[in-house]
Amino acid sequence: MIPNVSRKRPTIRDVAREAGVSYATVSRVLNGRDWVSPEAVRAVQDAIARTGYTTNQHARSLATGRSGSIAFLLTEPQHLLFEDPNFSVLLRGVAQALSDRELTLILMIASTPEERSRTIAFLNGGHVDGVLLVSPHSGDPLLKQLVQANVPIVACGRVLGLEDLISSVSADDRAGARTATEHLIAASCRRIATVTGPLDTSGGVDRLAGYTDALMAHGLPIDQDLIVHGDWTRESGAAGIRTLLRRAPDVDAVFAASDAMAAATLPVLRDAGRGVPGDVRVVGFDDSGLAATTEPPLSTVRQPLERISEEMVRLLVDVINGRTPLSITVPTGLVLRSSSPA
């Protein structure tokens, strides 16, 4: 007979004995609790490595009432997940931050009534411990349903009208837009137009506010003919610049509230016989991978999406563990390239 040489699966008690700490201390470390000394954390981590202990996720879920899963919930149409470079950068950063915490990512799309209904049913079933909400639009019926589901939420960008109920991590959109517009003013541009983002999002509202802040601070008029509204996409950027050229053929600069919209203005301006930056300077917002590949390369406002994704995960874990919800704003920076050089 071949002897049974299989090893018994290490338990938390084995880890505690190896680390020289209590069972409760190991449990607190595994569950991410704060009231454990750094020395005890290191001892437990070393003991886990020596014993080969791995979490039994099913047992852990039964014991803690948690699933160990987090939803990345995008409220835009599915195709934008692949077309908008910001979403892919956020998703990649979130996936890494969750992996570092041994949490599982679940990708969810909720842009149609059917998708929203399935999303709420899934969340009400207790299948995730929290939600990372991406691209929320005020007025979306999903938002109040999410709040009523009583699941911890952290949004990318403030949720207009629900700031007191939903935690958020945002770039400093207003300051970034003001800096971009002031750069154009410093370059002697005076007919500065903007293609806004959707005004049911905090990014759309705040970037428009930063543009008007800069004009007013420098004594320039707010001309409604120089303001057109987009939805972050290339199509809206191209349509916006065509409208601007009809309304204000003397436009000498454009601040577009996303790189995708800014990139779309370039071929339209070229076809209209307007050189960039000689006749019209163009500045975008995001500093996505797209910005450096256009012709000419785009000047833009960088929002640090890698940091935003990490902060979203960190804040959500805090909220799950009972911390008071709060909002975080991270700084932006101007990146100058050929579409509007220094």
Side-chain angles (χ1 to χ4, degrees):
M1 178 183 293
I2 299 175
N4 183 359
V5 294
S6 62
R7 261 178 92 223
K8 178 183 174 185
R9 181 188 180 114
T11 67
I12 290 181
R13 296 191 185 282
D14 296 326
V15 173
R17 185 165 50 252
E18 181 72 19
V21 299
S22 69
Y23 175 96
T25 295
V26 176
S27 179
R28 285 195 292 269
V29 171
L30 292 174
N31 287 294
R33 304 299 186 187
D34 288 337
W35 50 90
V36 184
S37 71
E39 294 77 13
V41 171
R42 283 194 296 272
V44 170
Q45 291 172 340
D46 290 345
I48 288 172
R50 289 194 298 272
T51 61
Y53 172 81
T54 57
T55 304
N56 182 324
Q57 190 59 50
H58 178 66
R60 183 175 178 179
S61 296
L62 291 175
T64 65
R66 296 182 182 175
S67 67
S69 298
I70 301 295
F72 181 96
L73 177 56
L74 178 65
T75 63
E76 302 287 0
Q78 186 179 88
H79 68 90
L80 288 182
L81 178 63
F82 306 100
E83 293 178 10
D84 189 315
N86 293 327
F87 296 147
S88 59
V89 173
L90 274 174
L91 181 59
R92 185 169 63 246
V94 162
Q96 183 60 58
L98 290 174
S99 176
D100 292 343
R101 293 166 172 81
E102 297 185 353
L103 294 169
T104 300
L105 178 141
I106 297 176
L107 174 61
M108 305 186 74
I109 309 289
S111 66
T112 67
E114 295 77 14
E115 289 170 346
R116 286 193 287 268
S117 178
R118 287 194 295 270
T119 294
I120 293 302
F122 187 82
L123 297 180
N124 281 331
H127 299 295
V128 300
D129 298 324
V131 172
L132 297 165
L133 179 62
V134 179
S135 198
H137 293 257
S138 64
D140 185 341
L142 177 68
L143 298 176
K144 288 189 177 179
Q145 292 175 313
L146 287 172
V147 172
Q148 291 166 355
N150 200 32
V151 59
I153 307 169
V154 172
C156 181
R158 292 179 296 108
V159 182
L160 299 177
L162 294 173
E163 289 94 339
D164 293 338
L165 298 176
I166 297 179
S167 298
S168 65
V169 180
S170 308
D172 196 340
D173 294 303
R174 188 165 186 163
R178 175 168 179 155
T179 298
T181 308
E182 287 180 334
H183 159 72
L184 295 170
I185 294 170
S188 300
C189 299
R190 291 299 177 267
R191 295 288 285 164
I192 303 170
T194 188
V195 184
T196 78
L199 298 184
D200 59 357
T201 67
S202 62
V205 169
D206 290 345
R207 293 175 198 182
L208 175 58
Y211 161 83
T212 59
D213 287 346
L215 295 181
M216 290 188 294
H218 291 269
L220 296 177
I222 309 301
D223 185 343
Q224 294 302 316
D225 283 346
L226 294 174
I227 301 173
V228 295
H229 303 298
D231 62 6
W232 307 131
T233 65
R234 284 177 177 262
E235 293 78 10
S236 68
I241 191 62
R242 292 190 188 101
T243 298
L244 288 168
L245 289 173
R246 287 195 303 270
R247 286 183 187 173
D250 60 340
V251 62
D252 59 7
V254 178
F255 165 59
S258 78
D259 284 348
M261 294 192 297
T265 70
L266 300 176
V268 177
L269 288 167
R270 186 163 51 245
D271 290 346
R274 309 296 298 277
V276 177
D279 299 315
V280 181
R281 288 176 173 247
V282 177
V283 178
F285 199 111
D286 293 326
D287 196 27
S288 61
L290 172 65
T293 66
T294 58
E295 181 53 47
L298 278 171
S299 291
T300 186
V301 177
R302 183 175 192 275
Q303 57 169 335
L305 292 173
E306 297 85 355
R307 180 179 171 190
I308 288 172
S309 59
E310 170 63 32
E311 292 286 0
M312 287 177 68
V313 171
R314 183 184 65 79
L315 186 55
L316 183 61
V317 170
D318 284 348
V319 175
I320 291 170
N321 286 331
R323 299 278 183 84
T324 302
L326 54 86
S327 294
I328 296 171
T329 302
V330 298
T332 56
L334 185 62
V335 179
L336 296 180
R337 299 190 178 96
S338 301
S339 71
S340 185

